[in-house]
Amino acid sequence: MNSIFFLTVFVMLGMSCDAFHVASNRNIGRLQMGLLDGFFGKKATASASHILVRTEKGRDAPTFLTELKAKINKTNNIPAAFADAAAKYSSCPSAQKGGSLGQFKQGQMVGPFDKVVFKEEIGIIHGPVNTPFGSHLILIESRSDATGC
């Protein structure tokens, strides 16, 4: 699909051309999916927290996260321990919220991360999962299936 189609949809919905250009310049892929969700059904959603660590001088991220995961799993309250570890070690801005990414749709996250969140068991720590951003530990909090038309 092309930009003309989406510009037409924006105008039909009463949105300005300026709004279209702002949205398309940010991410036309997300714009397309967001507009088409209403016509072709919704995507699955999930909420998860993560700890993002990049390999740096003197620290191998996957090894560090494997050790951290074992330490967190020994606690009595895994979600609280995970949030504390995210606040302390994660290099993502979500660290300020205990690693919480909130709710997001399938396909919004980078491939390996998305695959874990939408296919693996809820309530346990997964990873390390390697992405172009670094290595992650992921705690899936909830997930809802897609509902079609």
Side-chain angles (χ1 to χ4, degrees):
M1 297 196 176
N2 62 35
S3 296
I4 301 296
F5 169 79
F6 291 104
L7 179 57
T8 304
V9 171
F10 262 65
V11 172
M12 288 172 56
L13 294 173
M15 297 176 183
S16 71
C17 292
D18 290 337
F20 170 77
H21 290 297
V22 168
S24 63
N25 287 337
R26 285 192 182 150
N27 188 331
I28 192 70
R30 284 191 183 164
L31 172 66
Q32 290 172 354
M33 295 314 298
L35 285 175
L36 298 178
D37 281 352
F39 296 109
F40 300 109
K42 295 182 179 180
K43 289 187 166 244
T45 60
S47 62
S49 294
H50 78 132
I51 300 170
L52 170 63
V53 176
R54 293 180 182 95
T55 296
E56 297 173 358
K57 209 174 200 179
R59 178 168 76 171
D60 176 60
T63 301
F64 173 77
L65 288 175
T66 299
E67 294 167 359
L68 182 60
K69 179 180 173 180
K71 184 178 176 182
I72 295 169
N73 279 330
K74 289 180 183 177
T75 66
N76 291 331
N77 188 339
I78 290 173
F82 191 92
D84 290 343
K88 186 173 182 178
Y89 300 111
S90 184
S91 60
C92 180
S94 68
Q96 296 174 355
K97 298 181 288 181
S100 176
L101 296 169
Q103 189 172 36
F104 50 90
K105 293 179 183 177
Q106 190 170 13
Q108 280 187 289
M109 300 297 177
V110 66
F113 192 100
D114 199 70
K115 184 176 179 181
V116 168
V117 171
F118 288 95
K119 296 206 184 288
E120 299 298 333
E121 188 176 345
I122 296 169
I124 64 169
I125 301 171
H126 300 279
V129 175
N130 296 314
T131 72
F133 300 101
S135 296
H136 309 256
L137 289 182
I138 304 169
L139 179 61
I140 307 164
E141 296 152 359
S142 67
R143 181 172 51 230
S144 66
D145 292 333
T147 55
C149 317

